[in-house]
Amino acid sequence: MTDELARRIADLMPLAKADLTELVSIPSVADPRQYPPEKCREAAQWVADAFTAVGLRDVHLAETPDGSHAVLGHRPPPPGAPTVLLYAHYDVQPPLDDQAWTTPPFQLTERDGRWYGRGAADCKGNIVMHLTALRALGDDLPVGLKLVVEGSEEQGTGGLEAYVSSHADELHADALLICDTGNAAVGVPTATTSLRGVVNVVVTVTTLKGDVHSGMFGGPAPDALAALIRALDSLRGPDGSTRIDGLDGDGSWDGVGYDEQQFRTDAGVLDGAELPGGGSVADRLWARPAVTVLGIDCAPVVGSAAAVPATARARVSLRIPPGTDPGAARAALVAHLRAAVPWGAKVEIEPEQSGAPFRAATDGRAYAALDKAAQEVYGKPLAYLGQGGSIPLCNVLASTYPGTEIILMGVEEPACLIHAPNESVDPREIEHMAHVEALFLRHYAAARR
């Protein structure tokens, strides 16, 4: 039976490529300042039509509180069978620098065995994975299904999170497949069991009533940018580790590790550049807080004057591991920055996005069924991985549906370069993970009988 299912999925791969070609061609960036909102609506309707064609019922677009549209649908379970929710998102990150792409970002292009294009992996590749699994099963669907495909995940505006809280019955299921992550590497079946939370703030430092001539006043005149740099530098210890007063910076990761050389390759670390911090790469990625300066506002190099800057500001992001409260983390970050700004400078700190970390319970029937499916497809047991990114929806789902198993999986392995120029997906991952998903639905139905 497994061999027959594998053959069906292999035969469906040309259709999977055609699907992804169409989806990638729609620039569904959920930011009206950059792309027309109707492109997101077009992508949403494409998704709705595709899932209607594979047998889901009442597939429709639901407006969420942030103005985006989620695609919702369902298929009732056979008598006594469980229901599984399938999640993905159709919105994508902007392509950033078009000139950095080898081929056009919104044109699916095959190169060196991979399919390139914005959203090819994150997360349109996962939409195609779902469709391929359901097409392979056809009418032989052993579980009930609920579908939600989000339209503003990349913008972090919380539309679906707010929708869930007021439509809990509509999305309730026995197991949730959150397909917006992926394997540790191509060919290594993996479930993501840990997500870091995030706390973002904007810190503004002001020292003077206005910029003054550096020749006449430089030296004793307090330099706002220099004061900001001092404060930002204090967020790291001598070895580069994140060190924020009041936060534990020495956690350890007990799941699958991350080879340092592989990390250097995946992250594009230059030869000779050192990795900051101590402990293993996995410790630093998934078990410890990590601070990043996302941007700085001050005079640009080109066009800058010989002046002491009066004001400078920075956007600071703090990723936090499971077990850390985001409110406490924000308070610690704010207090640290205030104390670290020198020379009595005026400090203003504006809170931005925050999200709690997440850790999945892995001892239930759904994880057992997924492990069985992974071993049948990949010939090796399921690995457990942390992820440095944040998916706030997971915490909303966990609190709304306590006791429901939440599985994070998908096609987004490290070589995909999600969010970066030249994003791609390995079509073997779409094929094999669609096979895993289809087998999971069978095994989970059998385990629940």
Side-chain angles (χ1 to χ4, degrees):
M1 186 68 75
T2 298
D3 289 343
E4 179 187 348
L5 190 60
R7 282 195 296 272
R8 285 187 213 162
I9 290 172
D11 290 344
L12 286 165
M13 286 306 294
L15 180 54
K17 185 179 184 182
D19 284 344
L20 198 55
T21 298
E22 291 185 25
L23 263 179
V24 166
S25 73
I26 305 171
S28 48
V29 178
D31 184 350
R33 300 169 301 180
Q34 301 183 68
Y35 286 86
E38 55 265 27
K39 292 301 178 181
C40 283
R41 185 66 179 251
E42 181 183 347
Q45 191 60 55
W46 189 100
V47 171
D49 292 344
F51 279 94
T52 297
V54 297
L56 270 67
R57 303 179 187 177
D58 187 31
V59 183
H60 63 283
L61 276 57
E63 185 171 352
T64 67
D66 68 353
S68 67
H69 289 86
V71 181
L72 303 174
H74 70 96
R75 180 164 169 167
T83 295
V84 175
L85 181 139
L86 306 180
Y87 167 90
H89 64 84
Y90 63 79
D91 70 304
V92 299
Q93 285 281 335
L96 303 176
D97 180 4
D98 284 5
Q99 300 304 311
W101 287 77
T102 303
T103 50
F106 295 113
Q107 177 182 309
L108 194 73
T109 305
E110 185 167 0
R111 188 167 71 251
D112 300 325
R114 297 182 69 93
W115 297 345
Y116 286 79
R118 175 57 88 220
D122 181 21
C123 184
K124 293 175 177 179
N126 288 310
I127 294 173
V128 170
M129 177 191 74
H130 286 319
L131 289 169
T132 304
L134 297 181
R135 285 173 180 144
L137 289 170
D139 293 331
D140 184 23
L141 190 63
V143 298
L145 290 179
K146 291 187 177 180
L147 173 75
V148 56
V149 182
E150 187 175 2
S152 60
E153 192 274 343
E154 297 292 8
Q155 293 301 313
T157 47
L160 185 58
E161 290 98 295
Y163 185 88
V164 169
S165 64
S166 57
H167 298 78
D169 290 344
E170 188 176 354
L171 298 177
H172 181 265
D174 298 288
L176 313 179
L177 290 189
I178 309 300
C179 294
D180 190 18
T181 62
N183 291 340
V186 172
V188 181
T190 308
T192 298
T193 60
S194 170
L195 297 170
R196 289 192 294 194
V198 64
V199 173
N200 286 358
V201 301
V202 174
V203 55
T204 303
V205 176
T206 305
T207 55
L208 301 165
K209 292 180 180 179
D211 295 355
V212 295
H213 193 286
S214 60
M216 296 178 64
F217 298 102
D223 178 332
L225 180 56
L228 177 62
I229 289 170
R230 286 246 182 134
L232 297 177
D233 182 62
S234 76
L235 296 171
R236 292 181 177 268
D239 67 352
S241 298
T242 295
R243 295 296 178 192
I244 295 173
D245 296 339
L247 285 186
D248 178 13
D250 298 310
S252 59
W253 174 251
D254 58 4
V256 64
Y258 199 152
D259 176 74
E260 181 170 329
Q261 188 54 52
Q262 185 62 51
F263 174 82
R264 295 180 68 91
T265 299
D266 294 340
V269 179
L270 297 179
D271 291 344
E274 298 178 1
L275 304 186
S280 71
V281 169
D283 292 341
R284 284 171 273 177
L285 270 179
W286 305 321
R288 298 178 182 178
V291 70
T292 302
V293 180
L294 301 179
I296 291 180
D297 283 342
C298 202
V301 172
V302 177
S304 57
V308 178
T311 299
R313 68 174 185 162
R315 188 174 184 222
V316 180
S317 178
L318 177 65
R319 299 285 179 169
I320 53 175
T324 303
D325 176 75
R330 174 188 284 163
L333 176 62
V334 168
H336 183 111
L337 286 169
R338 287 193 183 280
V341 173
W343 314 322
K346 180 183 176 182
V347 183
E348 298 177 67
I349 299 179
E350 175 189 355
E352 286 192 326
Q353 172 190 14
S354 69
F358 170 79
R359 186 182 295 278
T362 61
D363 56 353
R365 293 176 180 174
Y367 274 89
L370 185 65
D371 179 60
K372 183 177 181 181
Q375 293 201 47
E376 291 178 22
V377 174
Y378 285 96
K380 57 187 72 172
L382 188 69
Y384 292 148
L385 187 72
Q387 181 171 293
S390 304
I391 306 178
L393 176 65
C394 288
N395 293 291
V396 173
L397 295 173
S399 61
T400 304
Y401 311 118
T404 295
E405 290 185 78
I406 299 175
I407 295 174
L408 290 94
M409 54 177 271
V411 302
E412 302 168 24
E413 40 79 29
C416 292
L417 297 180
I418 65 171
H419 294 201
N422 297 305
E423 178 182 351
S424 68
V425 68
D426 189 321
R428 294 171 298 173
E429 291 292 85
I430 294 178
E431 179 177 353
H432 294 150
M433 289 305 296
H435 192 187
V436 168
E437 180 175 331
L439 286 174
F440 163 79
L441 297 176
R442 285 181 173 175
H443 295 331
Y444 184 56
R448 295 276 301 191
R449 290 195 187 109

